[in-house]
Amino acid sequence: MNPKTGEFISWVALDHELQVHHQVTVLVTDHGSPPRNATMVVYVSVTDINDNRPYFPQCLPGEELHVKVLEGQPVNMLVTTVFAKDFDEGNNAEVVYSVSSEDSSDHFKIDANSGEIRTTTILSYTYRPSYRMTITASDQGQPPLQGQAVINIQVIPLSQGRALISQNIRHLVLPENLKPAKIMSLFKSPDHLQQHHNGKIHFSIAEDDKDGHFEIDSSTGDLFLS
């Protein structure tokens, strides 16, 4: 604080994302004899500016997100859901999604609000075994800032003579700090597979998808947090 003018002087840049509110106690002293003083508390609120770009937590910088999709599935099948975070506030943190790659725009669509990516046509491994698309997340600040993620979609061919569990994709929304061992979902195999294998079906998580956070009961299909 300038002792002559009473103006506050900030010696460091204020950052809304680091600290929104500041509290300062001001002491005023006169030059009388004896000196008298008074105090007051000043509250400072730091307003937000759009200085943070949206980013995708599931994609580290320079890396790509890999997704596998079974061929022959019906149109509008959920492929995956992307999520972008923005450390700003209000409109500066409100994110909308779009597909910016023309190469895949005829085969996939994205919900601008939820980030759900779905098919717009039936995929065929023979026609095309893989797709590469760029997802753009734009905030609603002025001017808007953007973040991008690259997704590689691998089409898995149907193998003759191999029992396949229906590609019934489930989108689970979990709150943070969920306690371990909390059952999140139950995957049931079709009746014809139960009959074909005398009811003995083994469930497991694909090796490429194991990250230490989830486990599955091999006999019941219960998926839980580890």
Side-chain angles (χ1 to χ4, degrees):
M1 177 179 241
N2 188 320
K4 294 183 179 180
T5 65
E7 295 177 332
F8 280 103
I9 301 174
S10 176
W11 298 105
V12 295
L14 300 178
D15 192 338
H16 175 85
E17 285 72 48
L18 292 180
Q19 188 170 349
V20 178
H21 302 288
H22 298 266
Q23 178 178 322
V24 179
T25 301
V26 179
L27 173 65
V28 181
T29 304
D30 63 23
H31 295 280
S33 181
R36 303 290 185 178
N37 59 60
T39 61
M40 69 176 299
V41 178
V42 178
Y43 297 94
V44 179
S45 296
V46 183
T47 58
D48 182 52
I49 62 172
N50 194 25
D51 58 349
N52 290 281
R53 295 180 180 274
Y55 77 98
F56 294 85
Q58 62 269 53
C59 293
L60 296 177
E63 295 187 358
E64 300 180 355
L65 180 64
H66 295 269
V67 180
K68 296 179 181 179
V69 181
L70 193 66
E71 71 170 346
Q73 299 305 300
V75 173
N76 205 42
M77 184 195 71
L78 178 64
V79 175
T80 189
T81 301
V82 294
F83 172 68
K85 296 183 67 175
D86 192 312
F87 288 118
D88 291 312
E89 191 175 82
N91 289 339
N92 295 336
E94 185 177 341
V95 176
V96 294
Y97 305 93
S98 62
V99 179
S100 60
S101 174
E102 297 180 358
D103 188 35
S104 303
S105 59
D106 293 337
H107 301 85
F108 304 93
K109 64 181 180 181
I110 188 168
D111 187 292
N113 297 313
S114 69
E116 290 183 350
I117 299 176
R118 296 181 179 272
T119 58
T120 57
T121 184
I122 297 177
L123 303 181
S124 169
Y125 176 83
T126 303
Y127 172 74
R128 186 168 177 177
S130 64
Y131 297 85
R132 188 173 186 270
M133 57 195 303
T134 301
I135 304 300
T136 299
S138 303
D139 64 29
Q140 302 303 292
Q142 295 297 330
L145 298 179
Q146 296 181 340
Q148 292 184 330
V150 177
I151 300 180
N152 274 299
I153 300 176
Q154 180 181 355
V155 181
I156 305 301
L158 288 170
S159 300
Q160 294 182 354
R162 180 167 65 94
L164 292 175
I165 294 179
S166 175
Q167 191 82 343
N168 180 20
I169 296 180
R170 298 188 183 184
H171 179 205
L172 303 179
V173 179
L174 307 178
E176 64 178 346
N177 298 325
L178 190 69
K179 293 182 179 180
K182 176 70 174 180
I183 294 179
M184 298 180 297
S185 182
L186 175 64
F187 295 90
K188 290 184 178 294
S189 56
D191 293 337
H192 72 277
L193 289 182
Q194 293 282 2
Q195 295 172 1
H196 181 73
H197 294 276
N198 297 322
K200 296 180 179 179
I201 301 294
H202 178 83
F203 295 88
S204 62
I205 297 176
E207 288 294 331
D208 293 344
D209 294 332
K210 290 183 178 179
D211 61 1
H213 291 89
F214 305 98
E215 294 291 343
I216 193 168
D217 189 300
S218 61
S219 58
T220 66
D222 289 332
L223 182 68
F224 59 92
L225 193 66
S226 60

